[in-house]
Amino acid sequence: MEENVESASMLSGSIIQNIKSNWLDLVIIAGALIIIIIIVSIVRIRLGKLLERKIPEDRMLMRKRSLTFNSVISNLIVIIAFIAAVLIMADQLGISVTPLLAGAGVAGMVIGFGAQSLIRDLINGIFILFEQWYQVNDIITVGDITGTVERFNLRTTMIRDIEGTVHYIPNGEIKVLGNRTQLWARAVVEVGVHYNEDTDRVIEILEEIFDEIMADKKYKKVILERPSILGDGGISDLGDSAVIFKLICKVRAGDQWTIARQLRKRVKDKFDKIGIEIPYPCTNIYMRNEK
């Protein structure tokens, strides 16, 4: 016991002496690490903006992949620089890292610092990267969180939801994932009309709306297939207060919400103009008079 205390005291004294002797080298190493982190961050941001500007929208998949690899590579450079700085500083302090890399030492570090969870995150991050589950700027759903991927590295994924809240999700926690913007998507709109309406007339008006949106140059370029009524003009549901038609439209990934909103607006405006009634739920209340 006394030998261990004496050994620890000698080691701490040696480290203090090395700090006094090599303080300038230690400051230079720490400063170099900070400079590398700052430079990598600036390069990542500027390169990301350059990729968004130079790669056109019709090559969106290439743009997303480039942004994803930009995020991953910059993160790896920072991690490697940090590890190298720690090892060099340990050498300057006279601390031998060889025993720490021995089998027992590594096992102790894995258990003690929760490296098992870290390794799981890294492995899952590698699978996500090479299997192309999603890219930067994709809109994904993980559990009950839906948002845009703003940053991805091998350990974590950062997504921002519609309210602007940023969520940091460890890659090892991603078990089931939905990608709403991969290659293409569908705009889905349900339209309800009154039971008294002529369904053939309703279908005819809806087809006119489809022609109009396809003729609109602003939206034609993002629509991959002409809108249609699901079921070859059939009725999707006989609801409590309305006959339901389901409209579907294959669009460019990420534009499904815009096209769905436009279809709803055009249906409402057209139905109001033509005189087709869009019903809303009604409740009849009967009051009984005991007298």
Side-chain angles (χ1 to χ4, degrees):
M1 183 67 178
E2 293 180 357
E3 292 180 357
N4 292 335
V5 173
E6 184 178 355
S7 176
S9 177
M10 291 178 60
L11 179 61
S12 61
S14 175
I15 291 175
I16 294 173
Q17 183 62 38
N18 287 330
I19 291 175
K20 292 179 180 179
S21 302
N22 303 320
W23 67 269
L24 182 59
D25 292 337
L26 295 173
V27 171
I28 291 174
I29 294 168
L33 177 61
I34 294 173
I35 292 173
I36 289 173
I37 293 174
I38 293 173
I39 292 175
V40 170
S41 299
I42 293 174
V43 171
R44 177 180 60 80
I45 294 172
R46 293 192 175 181
L47 183 58
K49 292 180 178 179
L50 179 65
L51 291 171
E52 289 184 343
R53 187 170 63 252
K54 293 296 184 181
I55 301 178
E57 291 189 0
D58 57 355
R59 304 183 71 182
M60 184 61 69
L61 184 58
M62 178 180 289
R63 178 195 291 183
K64 289 180 178 179
R65 287 179 177 175
S66 300
L67 291 172
T68 302
F69 277 99
N70 178 38
S71 177
V72 171
I73 295 301
S74 60
N75 183 259
L76 284 177
I77 292 174
V78 170
I79 291 174
I80 293 171
F82 178 80
I83 294 174
V86 169
L87 293 176
I88 295 172
M89 292 177 74
D91 182 66
Q92 292 291 322
L93 294 173
I95 300 174
S96 177
V97 297
T98 303
L100 296 177
L101 299 178
V106 171
M109 292 171 62
V110 167
I111 296 172
F113 297 97
Q116 291 177 341
S117 177
L118 175 61
I119 292 173
R120 184 174 67 249
D121 293 339
L122 294 175
I123 292 175
N124 209 37
I126 291 171
F127 280 117
I128 291 172
L129 178 63
F130 287 99
E131 292 181 0
Q132 302 292 309
W133 290 11
Y134 53 85
Q135 313 289 342
V136 171
N137 289 339
D138 275 350
I139 299 174
I140 64 173
T141 298
V142 181
D144 58 351
I145 300 172
T146 297
T148 303
V149 179
E150 288 201 350
R151 189 178 304 169
F152 168 78
N153 57 57
L154 295 182
R155 193 180 71 84
T156 59
T157 296
M158 185 183 84
I159 66 175
R160 188 183 299 272
D161 64 24
I162 194 170
E163 295 179 348
T165 304
V166 175
H167 303 267
Y168 295 89
I169 304 174
N171 292 331
E173 300 297 323
I174 300 177
K175 307 299 183 183
V176 179
L177 177 142
N179 191 331
R180 296 170 177 259
T181 52
Q182 195 167 62
L183 300 181
W184 58 272
R186 276 200 181 98
V188 180
V189 175
E190 289 189 348
V191 176
V193 298
H194 198 280
Y195 272 90
N196 293 333
E197 298 292 346
D198 184 346
T199 55
D200 290 334
R201 180 168 176 262
V202 172
I203 292 173
E204 182 181 342
I205 299 303
L206 290 174
E207 292 293 341
E208 291 180 7
I209 295 172
F210 299 158
D211 291 336
E212 290 173 2
I213 198 169
M214 288 300 296
D216 192 325
K217 294 181 180 180
K218 183 178 180 181
Y219 302 110
K220 184 179 179 180
K221 62 183 180 180
V222 303
I223 297 176
L224 304 179
E225 293 180 2
R226 185 179 184 276
S228 62
I229 302 172
L230 186 65
D232 194 24
I235 295 172
S236 291
D237 190 19
L238 297 176
D240 293 336
S241 59
V243 177
I244 308 297
F245 294 89
K246 184 168 289 187
L247 316 183
I248 58 173
C249 181
K250 186 176 180 179
V251 300
R252 191 174 63 184
D255 291 302
Q256 59 265 43
W257 298 285
T258 299
I259 298 302
R261 295 186 185 103
Q262 279 299 312
L263 284 172
R264 292 189 190 99
K265 180 181 185 303
R266 291 167 185 260
V267 166
K268 176 66 168 59
D269 293 345
K270 194 78 169 181
F271 281 12
D272 288 345
K273 183 178 180 180
I274 300 298
I276 296 177
E277 182 179 354
I278 300 177
Y280 49 86
C282 297
T283 302
N284 294 325
I285 300 176
Y286 298 92
M287 302 186 66
R288 187 175 182 178
N289 190 340
E290 296 294 339
K291 295 181 180 180

